[in-house]
Every structure is written in C-alpha cells, then in structure tokens.
Amino acid sequence: MSAYAPGLTTVEDAEPDAAGYEAGQRQRAIERNIRKWKRREAVATTPAEKRATRAKVRAWQGAMRHHLGAHPDLRRLRRREQEGAGNLPAAPRPPAPDQVERASVWSGDEATVREMSDDQLAAALRTPLDDRARRRIEAEADRRDLTALDRAAPGGHLVEDLLALSDDDLARLYAHVDRDDQMRIMAETDRRDRAGQHLDVRADLVGLSDSQLAARYRDAGTGSEAARRDLLARLFPGGNLLADLSGVGDDDLAWAMQYANTAELLCIAAEMDPRDAVELPAPADTGDAVDDLLADRDALAEAVAPAPDPEQWGALADDEKFAAEAAALATARARRRASRTSGTRSRAARPAPCTTSTYTGSI
C-alpha cells in the first residue's frame, strides 16, 4: 500500500472477475443454508426431527468445505455460519408501553395529554419523570375531576342515575361528595362487581359509562348490556329498590334478586309470597298424634303439588336433628302400615262364624 498522488500515481485497469464473484455468492448461499438448518434444529420438537436437521447442517458444512477446497482464494468465516449472523440489521426491540406514554407526556402538547386515557397517564407516572411532566399529569387529573364533578355532582350532590357513570367517574367523585353519596358509590361498585361475575354479563362493559357504551355500539354485546342497565335503572332508581313492587312481574323480581342486598331481598320475598300463596289444609284431629302427623303430611303434599313430596324434604335439610326426626317418622309410618296390613290379612284368613236361619215362608 502506498500513497496516491494525483497525476503521478499510475493505476492499472481493473479486470472483472465474474468467476470470483460467483464463488463468493455461492459461499454466502451456503452460509445462509447452514444458519437456516441450525435454526430448525434449535426448534425441533422430536428426536427424529433433531436428527434430520442436524444431518442437514452437516451436509451443508461439507458443501462449504468442498467449495472452499475448489476456491483457495476464499476464507471460511465461521462467525457467518452462526445464528443471527446475517448481514440484515436486527429488528429493533419495541419500546415498553410505559415508555411510550412517558414520551407522549414529555414531547406532546396540552391536547396530547387530554387525549390520553387514565390508564395511559397512570402508566406514564410509573416511569421516571421530571417535575414539569408530573405537573402536567396532575393538572390534567384535576381538570378531569372537576369536569366529572360538574357533570355528575352538580351543587355537590350526586345525580340519581349512577349507571350512566363509568368506574373512573365514580372513583373521581368519591373524594368530593359527602358520606351518604360515598355510600351510594360503594353500593353501586359492589353491584357492578356482582354483575361482572354473572355468565350472561360481559365484565368489560359493566364499568363503562353510557357514552362509552354508545361509542362501542357496533359490538355485539352492547345491546344486552344496554338492556340490563335499563332494567336495573327501572328496578333500582337511585341505587335503591323500588318502594312499590306490585307492578313488577315475577321474572323481573327474580332477576332483581341477584343485585339486591339483604333488606331488599326481604322486600322482594314479601312481595312474592302473597302471589304464590298456598291455602294450607286444616290440622288433623283424630286423637292420635302419629296419625295426625301422617295425615297432615299427606294433606300438605297434596296442597303443594307438584312440588316434591314432603317425605323427600329431609334430604334437603342441613340440620342433622331434623333429618333424624324425619327418618324416625318414616320408619314409624312404615311400621304402622305393616301392622295394619298384617292385621287385615289375619282377619281375612279367619273363618266366618256359622249362622242358622229360619225359613218361615210357605212351600
């Protein structure tokens, strides 16, 4: 190697080497095949597949040795035969979601921060931020709190219909309302938690506001969720059960039981009991306690038909004492039946007494 001086240094004309170029490209192709079969060997799941891919690797390595033997001017670069050694740049690792949200807060304007959701702002707060970025997030959170407060709690009093508010709205309002409204928010969130556990309710839609639900109207599940909210608002206005349940159908009352608390369940039961009232028979009075008990049982079974026979009720009881008493009663009844049957048979087997009749008629 020497210095080049313009006008003084002479350069020989280069001649094309097509054969050398083809030999180099052939070497690159063999290296690619070695890497390919090494990758397949690494992900092989069966011993047979591993043996087959390892044989392919060795075959291409043999092809490399043969090719280099035919072209002594080429050198074998083993690093180019390893996985990931291609000349293509490696795919960049995508940034974490928290880093994306942090970049949005840092580089975006006020409109960018307003367009971010609560979850995105929370993700940005989990990353290292300077004071300026934190102040921007806090200012946006305060603005959303005040906006939700003006819309859902005008004058400091919570609106009657909490179904129209999202979970995020309820969380923002909790710290700005009085104790009674806080209890209403807690009751509403509990009701939503119970609703999310039902198989016929989509949990991802329960916590949305009406406006958010309307924005997703193309979703197949939004129609049933809107119907559920309408029925819930009709049966639980202001978060409390209707005072007058006389106009509510049996199916709607049964549906409301899954959202009712203990006191509301008692109100529903008090409304349903008169509708399903059964006229109980008068108690038996034969003078025998066992006969009276058995007669009352038979009369009750007839009155509540087609419900299960009272003889089976003992199996449904959790009280072991009650179950034992029911079993003893069934045993006593079986014995009395057996004794009555045996007495009837003995009377039937006894010969009838002989009687003499006097004929007074004329012949």
Side-chain angles (χ1 to χ4, degrees):
M1 180 179 295
S2 61
Y4 175 79
L8 298 177
T9 304
T10 59
V11 179
E12 298 179 357
D13 294 335
E15 297 180 358
D17 185 9
Y21 177 78
E22 292 296 333
Q25 294 303 307
R26 176 58 181 168
Q27 184 181 9
R28 300 286 89 79
I30 296 175
E31 290 169 350
R32 288 193 296 271
N33 280 282
I34 292 176
R35 293 197 300 269
K36 180 182 74 172
W37 288 106
K38 281 187 175 181
R39 288 195 300 269
R40 293 192 179 184
E41 181 184 1
V43 298
T45 57
T46 62
E49 188 177 359
K50 284 185 176 295
R51 288 193 299 269
T53 53
R54 190 177 300 115
K56 284 287 187 179
V57 172
R58 292 175 178 173
W60 280 106
Q61 288 174 341
M64 175 66 78
R65 289 191 295 270
H66 181 269
H67 181 69
L68 295 179
H71 300 84
D73 54 328
L74 296 179
R75 292 187 305 161
R76 185 172 185 176
L77 304 177
R78 293 188 178 275
R79 58 180 177 79
R80 296 184 62 87
E81 300 176 12
Q82 305 303 318
E83 298 181 40
N87 55 0
L88 296 178
R93 179 180 299 178
D98 294 356
Q99 296 174 343
V100 175
E101 310 307 340
R102 178 181 62 179
S104 299
V105 174
W106 265 345
S107 59
D109 55 8
E110 296 299 330
T112 302
V113 178
R114 291 193 176 192
E115 293 173 355
M116 297 175 66
S117 65
D118 291 347
D119 293 337
Q120 291 173 330
L121 292 178
L125 281 175
R126 290 194 292 267
T127 61
L129 294 173
D130 56 9
D131 293 339
R132 170 182 168 275
R134 289 187 176 275
R135 285 196 299 269
R136 294 185 65 184
I137 295 178
E138 292 172 357
E140 175 60 20
D142 293 339
R143 186 194 66 81
R144 296 184 184 186
D145 290 346
L146 294 177
T147 302
L149 191 63
D150 293 338
R151 183 180 70 254
H157 297 288
L158 199 60
V159 294
E160 289 295 326
D161 186 14
L162 300 183
L163 292 173
L165 305 178
S166 67
D167 289 350
D168 294 336
D169 293 336
L170 294 178
R172 291 193 188 96
L173 295 171
Y174 187 83
H176 302 282
V177 295
D178 57 19
R179 180 65 176 174
D180 294 338
D181 287 339
Q182 288 180 349
M183 296 298 294
R184 289 184 56 200
I185 292 176
M186 294 171 62
E188 175 63 23
T189 54
D190 289 343
R191 189 176 290 113
R192 293 184 183 187
D193 290 341
R194 292 197 300 270
Q197 298 174 0
H198 300 158
L199 297 178
D200 58 340
V201 177
R202 285 186 52 179
D204 59 325
L205 300 179
V206 173
L208 299 181
S209 64
D210 285 352
S211 58
Q212 292 171 338
L213 190 65
R216 300 177 60 176
Y217 72 97
R218 295 182 184 274
D219 197 325
T222 55
S224 59
E225 174 62 19
R228 186 191 71 85
R229 294 189 181 192
D230 291 341
L231 184 57
L232 198 61
R234 183 167 64 86
L235 298 179
F236 293 88
N240 298 316
L241 185 66
L242 276 173
D244 185 11
L245 300 176
S246 58
V248 182
D250 291 348
D251 293 339
D252 291 344
L253 284 178
W255 182 86
M257 293 176 67
Q258 58 189 338
Y259 297 101
N261 55 32
T262 303
E264 292 168 344
L265 285 174
L266 294 176
C267 295
I268 295 175
E271 174 63 29
M272 297 182 70
D273 285 344
R275 300 184 185 185
D276 301 329
V278 177
E279 185 177 354
L280 296 179
D285 188 11
T286 62
D288 190 318
V290 176
D291 288 341
D292 290 347
L293 187 60
L294 296 176
D296 290 341
R297 192 209 68 83
D298 294 337
L300 182 61
E302 183 179 356
V304 299
D309 191 275
E311 204 170 56
Q312 305 174 10
W313 293 359
L316 304 176
D318 294 333
D319 189 353
E320 296 181 358
K321 180 179 179 181
F322 176 80
E325 292 176 353
L329 179 61
T331 303
R333 182 185 181 190
R335 290 176 178 176
R336 290 184 65 85
R337 285 180 178 177
S339 62
R340 289 177 182 176
T341 303
S342 60
T344 303
R345 289 177 179 176
S346 62
R347 288 194 299 270
R350 190 180 305 160
C354 297
T355 57
T356 303
S357 58
T358 304
Y359 177 72
T360 57
S362 59
I363 300 177

